[in-house]
Amino acid sequence: DDVNRKVHAAFAHGLVPILCVGETLAEREAGQTDSVVRRQVLAGVEGIAADEAPTTVIAYEPVWAIGTGLPCDPDEAARVSASIRGWLAEALGTDAAQSIRVLYGGSVKPDNLASYMAADDIDGALVGGASLKAESFATLVEIAAHAP
């Protein structure tokens, strides 16, 4: 509920909301990734108007991968991102779901960015520590610029 209110507050003030969703390691190990992320996505986008969808960003950012140096397997990140797109279609309709950008975040680095960018349902990356060094950031931008 708090996150949903923040999403709507962002829209009300002309900001682009970035809704971060993801499971903890315990939830992943218990096989709860889909149920946890689905609940987060649907609660976060509740009440979004059709004209707000294209300016909405959702980042699948597994909590266990943030700052750990242990990124999610690219195939698994692609699977979850495709599921996110499907849940968005259920909640908001296919057109709205296709207009929302879905990013992957969680230990993204120059050596793994291309594998995430190659996935159909991953539209970009939410990068943390790897963007703090100019050379690394420049490499990330270069990889993203040439992504399919």
Side-chain angles (χ1 to χ4, degrees):
D1 290 340
D2 287 342
V3 171
N4 182 260
R5 283 193 295 274
K6 290 176 183 182
V7 166
H8 288 283
F11 284 129
H13 291 89
L15 300 173
V16 174
I18 301 175
L19 173 60
C20 296
V21 298
E23 77 285 6
T24 65
L25 184 57
E27 291 165 336
R28 172 169 282 288
E29 290 174 344
Q32 298 173 337
T33 296
D34 287 359
S35 62
V36 168
V37 175
R38 182 178 192 276
R39 177 179 43 79
Q40 293 171 346
V41 167
L42 295 179
V45 301
E46 187 175 335
I48 288 179
D51 64 335
E52 294 171 328
T55 58
T56 303
V57 177
I58 296 183
Y60 171 55
E61 193 168 22
V63 177
W64 55 268
I66 299 169
T68 65
L70 301 171
C72 185
D73 176 76
D75 290 335
E76 176 63 1
R79 184 194 70 77
V80 174
S81 295
S83 295
I84 289 170
R85 188 107 37 219
W87 300 323
L88 290 168
E90 290 174 19
L92 305 172
T94 303
D95 290 343
Q98 291 303 317
S99 71
I100 293 174
R101 287 168 287 169
V102 178
L103 311 180
Y104 171 74
S107 296
V108 174
K109 299 175 183 134
D111 64 343
N112 64 20
L113 177 60
S115 60
Y116 295 115
M117 297 297 294
D120 289 339
D121 285 299
I122 298 177
D123 302 315
L126 186 64
V127 182
S131 66
L132 297 177
K133 294 182 181 172
E135 184 176 324
S136 174
F137 182 71
T139 302
L140 289 166
V141 170
E142 184 69 22
I143 293 167
H146 293 95

PDB file of all heavy atoms in Angstrom, residues 59-80:
ATOM      1  N   ALA A  59      11.388  -2.361 -12.029  1.00  0.00           N
ATOM      2  CA  ALA A  59      12.698  -2.996 -11.979  1.00  0.00           C
ATOM      3  C   ALA A  59      12.596  -4.289 -11.177  1.00  0.00           C
ATOM      4  O   ALA A  59      12.220  -4.262 -10.003  1.00  0.00           O
ATOM      5  CB  ALA A  59      13.724  -2.070 -11.344  1.00  0.00           C
ATOM      6  N   TYR A  60      12.895  -5.407 -11.849  1.00  0.00           N
ATOM      7  CA  TYR A  60      13.010  -6.665 -11.116  1.00  0.00           C
ATOM      8  C   TYR A  60      14.402  -6.668 -10.516  1.00  0.00           C
ATOM      9  O   TYR A  60      15.416  -6.720 -11.219  1.00  0.00           O
ATOM     10  CB  TYR A  60      12.803  -7.879 -12.026  1.00  0.00           C
ATOM     11  CG  TYR A  60      13.144  -9.175 -11.314  1.00  0.00           C
ATOM     12  CD1 TYR A  60      12.538  -9.494 -10.098  1.00  0.00           C
ATOM     13  CD2 TYR A  60      14.070 -10.055 -11.827  1.00  0.00           C
ATOM     14  CE1 TYR A  60      12.858 -10.660  -9.422  1.00  0.00           C
ATOM     15  CE2 TYR A  60      14.392 -11.226 -11.171  1.00  0.00           C
ATOM     16  CZ  TYR A  60      13.788 -11.525  -9.964  1.00  0.00           C
ATOM     17  OH  TYR A  60      14.119 -12.679  -9.294  1.00  0.00           O
ATOM     18  N   GLU A  61      14.449  -6.553  -9.222  1.00  0.00           N
ATOM     19  CA  GLU A  61      15.719  -6.424  -8.505  1.00  0.00           C
ATOM     20  C   GLU A  61      15.699  -7.367  -7.302  1.00  0.00           C
ATOM     21  O   GLU A  61      15.297  -6.979  -6.200  1.00  0.00           O
ATOM     22  CB  GLU A  61      15.904  -4.972  -8.065  1.00  0.00           C
ATOM     23  CG  GLU A  61      17.285  -4.668  -7.595  1.00  0.00           C
ATOM     24  CD  GLU A  61      17.524  -3.172  -7.445  1.00  0.00           C
ATOM     25  OE1 GLU A  61      16.577  -2.396  -7.304  1.00  0.00           O
ATOM     26  OE2 GLU A  61      18.703  -2.791  -7.446  1.00  0.00           O
ATOM     27  N   PRO A  62      16.094  -8.640  -7.522  1.00  0.00           N
ATOM     28  CA  PRO A  62      16.069  -9.587  -6.409  1.00  0.00           C
ATOM     29  C   PRO A  62      16.874  -9.041  -5.228  1.00  0.00           C
ATOM     30  O   PRO A  62      18.026  -8.632  -5.397  1.00  0.00           O
ATOM     31  CB  PRO A  62      16.725 -10.841  -6.975  1.00  0.00           C
ATOM     32  CG  PRO A  62      16.772 -10.662  -8.455  1.00  0.00           C
ATOM     33  CD  PRO A  62      16.690  -9.204  -8.725  1.00  0.00           C
ATOM     34  N   VAL A  63      16.257  -9.010  -4.081  1.00  0.00           N
ATOM     35  CA  VAL A  63      16.901  -8.442  -2.891  1.00  0.00           C
ATOM     36  C   VAL A  63      18.236  -9.132  -2.627  1.00  0.00           C
ATOM     37  O   VAL A  63      19.226  -8.484  -2.278  1.00  0.00           O
ATOM     38  CB  VAL A  63      15.963  -8.544  -1.664  1.00  0.00           C
ATOM     39  CG1 VAL A  63      16.638  -8.035  -0.407  1.00  0.00           C
ATOM     40  CG2 VAL A  63      14.669  -7.777  -1.921  1.00  0.00           C
ATOM     41  N   TRP A  64      18.280 -10.436  -2.844  1.00  0.00           N
ATOM     42  CA  TRP A  64      19.489 -11.207  -2.553  1.00  0.00           C
ATOM     43  C   TRP A  64      20.644 -10.879  -3.509  1.00  0.00           C
ATOM     44  O   TRP A  64      21.787 -11.213  -3.225  1.00  0.00           O
ATOM     45  CB  TRP A  64      19.188 -12.708  -2.600  1.00  0.00           C
ATOM     46  CG  TRP A  64      18.569 -13.160  -3.894  1.00  0.00           C
ATOM     47  CD1 TRP A  64      17.236 -13.259  -4.181  1.00  0.00           C
ATOM     48  CD2 TRP A  64      19.260 -13.547  -5.078  1.00  0.00           C
ATOM     49  NE1 TRP A  64      17.048 -13.675  -5.472  1.00  0.00           N
ATOM     50  CE2 TRP A  64      18.281 -13.873  -6.041  1.00  0.00           C
ATOM     51  CE3 TRP A  64      20.597 -13.664  -5.422  1.00  0.00           C
ATOM     52  CZ2 TRP A  64      18.596 -14.293  -7.322  1.00  0.00           C
ATOM     53  CZ3 TRP A  64      20.915 -14.089  -6.697  1.00  0.00           C
ATOM     54  CH2 TRP A  64      19.919 -14.397  -7.632  1.00  0.00           C
ATOM     55  N   ALA A  65      20.366 -10.211  -4.612  1.00  0.00           N
ATOM     56  CA  ALA A  65      21.411  -9.886  -5.589  1.00  0.00           C
ATOM     57  C   ALA A  65      21.948  -8.470  -5.438  1.00  0.00           C
ATOM     58  O   ALA A  65      22.991  -8.143  -6.005  1.00  0.00           O
ATOM     59  CB  ALA A  65      20.875 -10.079  -7.007  1.00  0.00           C
ATOM     60  N   ILE A  66      21.258  -7.637  -4.664  1.00  0.00           N
ATOM     61  CA  ILE A  66      21.647  -6.225  -4.565  1.00  0.00           C
ATOM     62  C   ILE A  66      22.952  -6.098  -3.785  1.00  0.00           C
ATOM     63  O   ILE A  66      23.018  -6.461  -2.615  1.00  0.00           O
ATOM     64  CB  ILE A  66      20.542  -5.391  -3.891  1.00  0.00           C
ATOM     65  CG1 ILE A  66      19.258  -5.460  -4.705  1.00  0.00           C
ATOM     66  CG2 ILE A  66      20.994  -3.945  -3.716  1.00  0.00           C
ATOM     67  CD1 ILE A  66      18.049  -4.889  -3.987  1.00  0.00           C
ATOM     68  N   GLY A  67      23.975  -5.606  -4.455  1.00  0.00           N
ATOM     69  CA  GLY A  67      25.250  -5.334  -3.805  1.00  0.00           C
ATOM     70  C   GLY A  67      26.025  -6.551  -3.350  1.00  0.00           C
ATOM     71  O   GLY A  67      27.036  -6.421  -2.667  1.00  0.00           O
ATOM     72  N   THR A  68      25.583  -7.741  -3.732  1.00  0.00           N
ATOM     73  CA  THR A  68      26.259  -8.958  -3.273  1.00  0.00           C
ATOM     74  C   THR A  68      27.294  -9.461  -4.263  1.00  0.00           C
ATOM     75  O   THR A  68      28.113 -10.302  -3.909  1.00  0.00           O
ATOM     76  CB  THR A  68      25.243 -10.089  -3.044  1.00  0.00           C
ATOM     77  OG1 THR A  68      24.648 -10.445  -4.296  1.00  0.00           O
ATOM     78  CG2 THR A  68      24.190  -9.696  -2.029  1.00  0.00           C
ATOM     79  N   GLY A  69      27.219  -8.972  -5.493  1.00  0.00           N
ATOM     80  CA  GLY A  69      28.094  -9.507  -6.528  1.00  0.00           C
ATOM     81  C   GLY A  69      27.564 -10.814  -7.089  1.00  0.00           C
ATOM     82  O   GLY A  69      28.208 -11.444  -7.914  1.00  0.00           O
ATOM     83  N   LEU A  70      26.377 -11.242  -6.631  1.00  0.00           N
ATOM     84  CA  LEU A  70      25.762 -12.477  -7.097  1.00  0.00           C
ATOM     85  C   LEU A  70      24.535 -12.145  -7.937  1.00  0.00           C
ATOM     86  O   LEU A  70      23.421 -12.077  -7.413  1.00  0.00           O
ATOM     87  CB  LEU A  70      25.342 -13.351  -5.908  1.00  0.00           C
ATOM     88  CG  LEU A  70      26.437 -13.762  -4.944  1.00  0.00           C
ATOM     89  CD1 LEU A  70      25.838 -14.437  -3.722  1.00  0.00           C
ATOM     90  CD2 LEU A  70      27.414 -14.684  -5.642  1.00  0.00           C
ATOM     91  N   PRO A  71      24.707 -11.916  -9.239  1.00  0.00           N
ATOM     92  CA  PRO A  71      23.566 -11.556 -10.070  1.00  0.00           C
ATOM     93  C   PRO A  71      22.657 -12.754 -10.314  1.00  0.00           C
ATOM     94  O   PRO A  71      23.078 -13.909 -10.234  1.00  0.00           O
ATOM     95  CB  PRO A  71      24.220 -11.093 -11.373  1.00  0.00           C
ATOM     96  CG  PRO A  71      25.507 -11.855 -11.422  1.00  0.00           C
ATOM     97  CD  PRO A  71      25.950 -11.988  -9.987  1.00  0.00           C
ATOM     98  N   CYS A  72      21.428 -12.465 -10.621  1.00  0.00           N
ATOM     99  CA  CYS A  72      20.462 -13.494 -10.997  1.00  0.00           C
ATOM    100  C   CYS A  72      20.876 -14.076 -12.346  1.00  0.00           C
ATOM    101  O   CYS A  72      21.356 -13.345 -13.225  1.00  0.00           O
ATOM    102  CB  CYS A  72      19.075 -12.861 -11.086  1.00  0.00           C
ATOM    103  SG  CYS A  72      17.718 -13.999 -11.398  1.00  0.00           S
ATOM    104  N   ASP A  73      20.687 -15.368 -12.524  1.00  0.00           N
ATOM    105  CA  ASP A  73      20.953 -15.998 -13.811  1.00  0.00           C
ATOM    106  C   ASP A  73      20.143 -15.262 -14.884  1.00  0.00           C
ATOM    107  O   ASP A  73      18.944 -15.000 -14.693  1.00  0.00           O
ATOM    108  CB  ASP A  73      20.536 -17.471 -13.758  1.00  0.00           C
ATOM    109  CG  ASP A  73      20.703 -18.153 -15.086  1.00  0.00           C
ATOM    110  OD1 ASP A  73      21.837 -18.471 -15.457  1.00  0.00           O
ATOM    111  OD2 ASP A  73      19.672 -18.332 -15.778  1.00  0.00           O
ATOM    112  N   PRO A  74      20.756 -14.896 -16.002  1.00  0.00           N
ATOM    113  CA  PRO A  74      20.037 -14.132 -17.033  1.00  0.00           C
ATOM    114  C   PRO A  74      18.759 -14.810 -17.535  1.00  0.00           C
ATOM    115  O   PRO A  74      17.768 -14.136 -17.791  1.00  0.00           O
ATOM    116  CB  PRO A  74      21.069 -13.979 -18.156  1.00  0.00           C
ATOM    117  CG  PRO A  74      22.375 -14.025 -17.441  1.00  0.00           C
ATOM    118  CD  PRO A  74      22.177 -15.026 -16.330  1.00  0.00           C
ATOM    119  N   ASP A  75      18.769 -16.131 -17.661  1.00  0.00           N
ATOM    120  CA  ASP A  75      17.561 -16.829 -18.098  1.00  0.00           C
ATOM    121  C   ASP A  75      16.452 -16.710 -17.065  1.00  0.00           C
ATOM    122  O   ASP A  75      15.279 -16.557 -17.406  1.00  0.00           O
ATOM    123  CB  ASP A  75      17.851 -18.302 -18.392  1.00  0.00           C
ATOM    124  CG  ASP A  75      18.706 -18.497 -19.635  1.00  0.00           C
ATOM    125  OD1 ASP A  75      18.698 -17.611 -20.518  1.00  0.00           O
ATOM    126  OD2 ASP A  75      19.380 -19.536 -19.721  1.00  0.00           O
ATOM    127  N   GLU A  76      16.809 -16.772 -15.792  1.00  0.00           N
ATOM    128  CA  GLU A  76      15.823 -16.623 -14.720  1.00  0.00           C
ATOM    129  C   GLU A  76      15.313 -15.181 -14.666  1.00  0.00           C
ATOM    130  O   GLU A  76      14.112 -14.939 -14.487  1.00  0.00           O
ATOM    131  CB  GLU A  76      16.406 -17.038 -13.373  1.00  0.00           C
ATOM    132  CG  GLU A  76      15.488 -16.823 -12.186  1.00  0.00           C
ATOM    133  CD  GLU A  76      14.191 -17.636 -12.189  1.00  0.00           C
ATOM    134  OE1 GLU A  76      13.955 -18.429 -13.120  1.00  0.00           O
ATOM    135  OE2 GLU A  76      13.400 -17.466 -11.252  1.00  0.00           O
ATOM    136  N   ALA A  77      16.199 -14.219 -14.830  1.00  0.00           N
ATOM    137  CA  ALA A  77      15.774 -12.818 -14.857  1.00  0.00           C
ATOM    138  C   ALA A  77      14.827 -12.577 -16.033  1.00  0.00           C
ATOM    139  O   ALA A  77      13.827 -11.862 -15.892  1.00  0.00           O
ATOM    140  CB  ALA A  77      16.989 -11.890 -14.954  1.00  0.00           C
ATOM    141  N   ALA A  78      15.112 -13.193 -17.178  1.00  0.00           N
ATOM    142  CA  ALA A  78      14.239 -13.066 -18.344  1.00  0.00           C
ATOM    143  C   ALA A  78      12.884 -13.716 -18.074  1.00  0.00           C
ATOM    144  O   ALA A  78      11.839 -13.169 -18.446  1.00  0.00           O
ATOM    145  CB  ALA A  78      14.898 -13.697 -19.569  1.00  0.00           C
ATOM    146  N   ARG A  79      12.885 -14.865 -17.419  1.00  0.00           N
ATOM    147  CA  ARG A  79      11.634 -15.553 -17.104  1.00  0.00           C
ATOM    148  C   ARG A  79      10.761 -14.707 -16.181  1.00  0.00           C
ATOM    149  O   ARG A  79       9.570 -14.527 -16.418  1.00  0.00           O
ATOM    150  CB  ARG A  79      11.914 -16.910 -16.450  1.00  0.00           C
ATOM    151  CG  ARG A  79      10.638 -17.726 -16.191  1.00  0.00           C
ATOM    152  CD  ARG A  79      10.894 -18.884 -15.242  1.00  0.00           C
ATOM    153  NE  ARG A  79      11.147 -18.449 -13.879  1.00  0.00           N
ATOM    154  CZ  ARG A  79      10.202 -18.034 -13.024  1.00  0.00           C
ATOM    155  NH1 ARG A  79       8.941 -17.944 -13.396  1.00  0.00           N
ATOM    156  NH2 ARG A  79      10.528 -17.684 -11.786  1.00  0.00           N
ATOM    157  N   VAL A  80      11.376 -14.160 -15.127  1.00  0.00           N
ATOM    158  CA  VAL A  80      10.617 -13.345 -14.176  1.00  0.00           C
ATOM    159  C   VAL A  80      10.125 -12.076 -14.863  1.00  0.00           C
ATOM    160  O   VAL A  80       8.976 -11.658 -14.665  1.00  0.00           O
ATOM    161  CB  VAL A  80      11.445 -13.036 -12.913  1.00  0.00           C
ATOM    162  CG1 VAL A  80      10.697 -12.076 -11.991  1.00  0.00           C
ATOM    163  CG2 VAL A  80      11.795 -14.326 -12.170  1.00  0.00           C
TER     164      VAL A  80
END
